[in-house]
């Protein structure tokens, strides 16, 4: 892999292997002038032309790369979505709802 900057990865040998992708847009960053790239840095990869792409990262610590990790969106990774939601039915003087409708089912 190149030291710094942007590059394109074609193949699965050094890629994260997410979403069945075999092509990635990649970039590398370092910690600055006080830390050599040969020892410390981070590498990011974004799968090319796949559904639901995930940004991935791996770190260089002490000269070797860690494994790839998908960057999570926390709860949003596993949450469903509401099919419908109501609106505020009673507003207080502060502008907040005292009674509100909300979706009780999700698909």
């Amino acid at each position: 892999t190149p030291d710094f900057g942007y590059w394109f990865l074609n193949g699965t040998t050094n890629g994260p292997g997410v979403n069945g992708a075999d092509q990635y847009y990649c970039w590398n960053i370092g910690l600055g002038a006080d830390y050599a790239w040969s020892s410390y840095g981070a590498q990011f990869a974004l799968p090319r032309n796949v559904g639901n792409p995930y940004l991935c990262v791996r770190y260089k610590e002490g000269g070797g790369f860690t494994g790839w990790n998908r960057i999570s969106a926390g709860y949003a990774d596993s949450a469903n979505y509401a099919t419908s939601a109501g609106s505020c039915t009673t507003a207080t003087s502060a502008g907040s709802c005292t009674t509100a409708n909300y979706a009780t089912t999700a698909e």
Side-chain angles (χ1 to χ4, degrees):
T1 61
D3 288 348
F4 291 102
Y6 298 93
W7 49 284
F8 185 75
L9 173 66
N10 190 17
T12 57
T13 303
N14 288 318
V18 297
N19 300 87
D22 61 359
Q23 295 179 327
Y24 298 87
Y25 299 103
C26 303
W27 62 98
N28 297 336
I29 60 172
L31 291 175
D34 293 336
Y35 300 91
W37 168 253
S38 60
S39 296
Y40 300 98
Q43 189 173 71
F44 298 87
L46 186 61
R48 179 182 176 268
N49 200 24
V50 296
N52 300 316
Y54 276 95
L55 180 61
C56 298
V57 64
R58 68 179 180 172
Y59 304 100
K60 185 181 271 191
E61 294 292 330
F65 277 110
T66 63
W68 284 101
N69 291 293
R70 187 177 81 179
I71 295 179
S72 73
Y75 177 70
D77 279 339
S78 61
N80 278 322
Y81 59 92
T83 56
S84 64
S87 59
C88 182
T89 57
T90 306
T92 65
S93 59
S96 62
C97 292
T98 56
T99 306
N101 297 321
Y102 55 91
T104 57
T105 60
E107 291 184 353

